[in-house]
């Protein structure tokens, strides 16, 4: 079953606690938390203290997407703050493997992300060591951008790698996801849809997320997805 991870980047920042409670009520699977440092991306958002403050407001898993340089400096703080998944960017550190191992040693699931211009080959050496691959379909930094189809072959390649090697890892996609682009990503093999603006603009977020969960990988019947 497809999981939906609304991004609180599109939430009302003046009442984030209520916003995550609302996501849980609407039936979200995870809460996607976009962390930006103003260096790796040209925007600054949320730090570990905000994650910690939000933790008591929901029991949903926190899917923390670190768009920060040298993420190894902060993974411990995010783990302590209550992150469940911590995803780093392959472009952001020279110690990808060490950071993945640290995330796992902290009791969290480790994710790895790649930007639209980064080839799939850049993440390939790490695929057997991660719990989640996050394929970016916009240039990270801001919500509300248009989906870049360059992510689709990467999703398909990751799907094939995980299937061929019997690895039970999630394939998440992030950026410009709506009903149409979300379906394309799931058909290619994605298992988690992160979305900000399309869900928060929706008049019935719960129904929209429910409809996304009916998407199926191409060639698979509903029993086998
Ligand atoms: C972009 C963030 C995304 C963002 C997606 O840098 O990583 O998670 O919130 O926003 P939408 O869904 O509006 O493209
Ligand atoms: Zn994100």
């Amino acid at each position: 079953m497809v999981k939906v991870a609304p991004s609180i980047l599109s939430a009302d920042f003046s009442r984030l606690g209520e916003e995550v409670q609302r996501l849980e009520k609407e039936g979200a699977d995870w809460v996607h938390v976009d962390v930006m440092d103003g260096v790796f991306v040209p925007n600054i958002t949320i730090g570990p203290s905000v994650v910690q403050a939000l933790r008591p407001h929901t029991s949903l898993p926190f899917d923390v997407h670190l768009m920060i340089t040298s993420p190894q400096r902060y993974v411990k703080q995010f783990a302590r703050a209550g992150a469940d998944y911590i995803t780093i960017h392959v472009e952001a550190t020279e110690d990808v493997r060490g950071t993945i191992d640290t995330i796992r040693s902290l009791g969290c699931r480790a994710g790895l992300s790649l930007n639209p211009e980064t080839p799939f080959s850049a993440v390939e050496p790490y695929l057997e060591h991660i719990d989640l691959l996050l394929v970016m379909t916009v240039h990270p930094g801001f919500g509300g951008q248009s989906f870049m189809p360059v992510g689709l072959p990467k999703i398909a390649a990751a799907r094939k790698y995980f299937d061929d090697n019997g690895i039970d890892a999630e394939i998440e996609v992030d950026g410009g996801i709506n009903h149409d682009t979300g379906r394309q990503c799931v058909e290619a093999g994605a298992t988690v849809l992160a979305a900000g603006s399309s869900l928060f603009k929706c008049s019935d977020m719960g129904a929209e997320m429910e409809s996304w969960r009916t998407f199926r990988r191409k060639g698979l019947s509903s029993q086998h997805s």
Side-chain angles (χ1 to χ4, degrees):
M1 175 88 93
V2 174
K3 294 183 196 64
V4 184
S7 165
I8 55 169
L9 189 62
S10 293
D12 179 346
F13 270 38
S14 70
R15 18 178 232 99
L16 278 181
E18 290 161 50
E19 291 280 69
V20 298
Q21 286 169 8
R22 172 179 157 218
L23 295 180
E24 183 160 356
K25 215 171 109 223
E26 298 281 5
D29 297 284
W30 295 354
V31 176
H32 186 82
V33 181
D34 285 309
V35 175
M36 306 186 189
D37 66 352
V39 179
F40 184 70
V41 291
N43 195 6
I44 299 177
T45 54
I46 287 168
S49 55
V50 176
V51 173
Q52 188 177 7
L54 291 176
R55 190 61 284 181
H57 290 270
T58 178
S59 55
L60 292 179
F62 280 162
D63 171 32
V64 176
H65 177 192
L66 297 184
M67 287 161 276
I68 66 175
T69 301
S70 302
Q72 59 272 22
R73 295 174 299 156
Y74 290 102
V75 290
K76 198 171 185 177
Q77 288 186 48
F78 281 102
R80 284 196 178 146
D84 294 279
Y85 282 81
I86 299 180
T87 295
I88 62 165
H89 268 259
V90 70
E91 307 88 357
T93 176
E94 291 187 352
D95 189 15
V96 173
R97 182 64 203 279
T99 311
I100 288 167
D101 291 347
T102 304
I103 292 169
R104 284 179 150 181
S105 75
L106 291 163
C108 297
R109 309 252 180 166
L112 186 62
S113 185
L114 74 171
N115 284 337
E117 65 276 13
T118 302
F120 180 70
S121 58
V123 295
E124 230 169 341
Y126 307 107
L127 294 179
E128 62 181 300
H129 305 292
I130 60 176
D131 302 293
L132 176 149
L133 182 73
L134 176 57
V135 176
M136 290 306 300
T137 41
V138 297
H139 294 294
F142 299 93
Q145 304 179 71
S146 297
F147 178 81
M148 297 168 74
V150 70
L152 290 170
K154 296 179 193 176
I155 294 170
R159 182 74 278 151
K160 180 168 170 22
Y161 181 94
F162 289 141
D163 287 354
D164 287 353
N165 292 283
I167 296 171
D168 183 24
E170 304 282 2
I171 302 174
E172 184 173 16
V173 64
D174 185 12
I177 298 300
N178 55 34
H179 196 275
D180 177 42
T181 57
R183 183 176 2 86
Q184 293 175 43
C185 292
V186 172
E187 285 179 354
T191 57
V192 185
L193 299 173
S197 50
S198 71
L199 286 178
F200 278 86
K201 269 190 214 147
C202 215
S203 57
D204 188 344
M205 188 195 281
E208 184 67 12
M209 291 194 290
E210 200 48 47
S211 76
W212 293 10
R213 288 194 196 91
T214 66
F215 299 154
R216 295 287 175 258
R217 190 176 154 196
K218 243 189 183 147
L220 282 191
S221 69
S222 54
Q223 284 95 27
H224 297 98
S225 58

